[in-house]
């Protein structure tokens, strides 16, 4: 897939457990953040977003936490399923363009 | 509704050549953004077009250019190819500029420069 060869941080979790993926962002002026999921052979897919005036936002089985003090973003996936296997990217909106993190590869153990 | 389509899916070129990649956005979408994805640099923003006008540009040399047509289809061109241009080139479309939560990516064009 497209992520083959990427030396990414890897997170391995048991099926059914919760996953927490972390991201540090660089621009303290960024006011909007997004998490993407990229499966092998596909383009990134929007998961959830959060604005800088919020600390937490929940979606279906996913929660994003934002800590502006330390410029840290996390994505929590509840009850991880095999279909969650992918590379996850955070992105920040800086100067009207997206700046992406390097990504984390999530693998699910049966 | 058809998704974002990119052609060709795979391309092999040699150094010094030029290449043109095509992106057809989702019907009704007027914004098209291009990104480069490499193992070393990850995903990087190239440029965005909206209503045939370049709205924003990333930090890439002038060898990278693009355009958008009246039907919102977009092309990007890379001239004088270098080995480091080998990458997955992704385009994404949305109805409005900056609508990242409504932006959909295509599957990408894998460019290999030999």
């Amino acid at each position: 897939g497209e992520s083959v060869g990427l030396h990414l941080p890897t997170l391995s979790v048991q099926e059914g457990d919760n996953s927490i993926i972390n991201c540090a962002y660089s621009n303290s002026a960024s006011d909007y953040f997004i998490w993407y999921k990229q499966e092998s052979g596909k383009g990134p897919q929007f998961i959830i977003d959060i604005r800088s005036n919020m600390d937490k936002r929940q979606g279906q089985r996913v929660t994003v936490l934002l800590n502006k003090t330390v410029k840290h973003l996390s994505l929590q996936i509840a009850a991880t399923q095999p279909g969650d296997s992918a590379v996850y990217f955070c992105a920040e909106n800086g100067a009207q363009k997206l700046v992406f993190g390097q990504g984390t590869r999530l693998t699910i153990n049966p | 509704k058809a998704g974002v389509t990119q052609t060709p899916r795979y391309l092999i070129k040699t150094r010094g050549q030029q290449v043109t990649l095509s992106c057809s956005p989702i019907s009704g979408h007027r914004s098209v953004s291009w990104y480069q994805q490499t193992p070393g640099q990850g995903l990087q923003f190239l440029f965005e077009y909206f209503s045939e006008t370049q709205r924003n540009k990333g930090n890439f040399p002038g060898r990278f250019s693009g355009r958008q047509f009246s039907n919102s289809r977009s092309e990007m061109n890379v001239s004088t190819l270098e080995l480091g241009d080998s990458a997955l080139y992704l385009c994404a479309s949305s109805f409005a500029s900056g609508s990242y939560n409504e932006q959909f990516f295509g599957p990408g064009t894998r460019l290999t420069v030999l």
Side-chain angles (χ1 to χ4, degrees), chain B residues 12-32:
Chain B
I12 299 175
K13 292 285 188 179
T14 56
R15 281 181 298 174
Q17 288 186 310
Q18 67 93 28
V19 66
T20 299
L21 311 181
S22 179
C23 173
S24 293
I26 290 172
S27 179
H29 284 190
R30 297 163 64 192
S31 170
V32 174

Side-chain angles (χ1 to χ4, degrees), chain B residues 76-89:
Chain B
M76 67 163 282
N77 183 278
V78 187
S79 62
T80 320
L81 283 166
E82 300 177 0
L83 295 179
D85 297 333
S86 294
L88 181 69
Y89 290 89

Side-chain angles (χ1 to χ4, degrees), chain A residues 23-77:
Chain A
C23 177
Y25 64 92
S26 57
N27 187 351
S28 57
S30 293
D31 60 359
Y32 180 63
F33 305 87
I34 306 170
W35 278 101
Y36 290 94
K37 172 186 181 183
Q38 186 174 22
E39 296 174 278
S40 182
K42 297 182 180 180
Q45 176 186 1
F46 172 91
I47 302 174
I48 191 167
D49 57 1
I50 188 168
R51 296 205 173 273
S52 59
N53 60 353
M54 302 172 70
D55 296 322
K56 178 179 179 179
R57 189 159 188 231
Q58 288 184 290
Q60 186 177 15
R61 276 201 312 120
V62 295
T63 301
V64 55
L65 299 178
L66 175 62
N67 185 330
K68 295 179 286 293
T69 303
V70 295
K71 292 190 287 187
H72 182 267
L73 202 61
S74 70
L75 176 71
Q76 301 177 3
I77 304 174

Side-chain angles (χ1 to χ4, degrees), chain A residues 6-12 21-23 86-89 101-107, chain B residues 39:
Chain A
L6 279 168
H7 297 290
L8 299 171
T10 300
L11 175 65
S12 294
I21 301 170
N22 297 302
C23 177
V87 176
Y88 290 81
F89 296 94
Q102 280 295 99
T104 296
R105 186 185 307 279
L106 177 64
T107 60

Side-chain angles (χ1 to χ4, degrees), chain B residues 15-66:
Chain B
R15 281 181 298 174
Q17 288 186 310
Q18 67 93 28
V19 66
T20 299
L21 311 181
S22 179
C23 173
S24 293
I26 290 172
S27 179
H29 284 190
R30 297 163 64 192
S31 170
V32 174
S33 296
W34 287 89
Y35 300 87
Q36 182 196 64
Q37 186 172 32
T38 61
Q41 300 298 317
L43 262 165
Q44 292 184 286
F45 171 77
L46 279 157
F47 28 65
E48 181 201 2
Y49 286 87
F50 182 81
S51 293
E52 302 179 65
T53 302
Q54 188 180 90
R55 292 292 298 266
N56 212 339
K57 191 176 188 303
N59 298 323
F60 280 81
R63 300 185 296 107
F64 292 81
S65 63

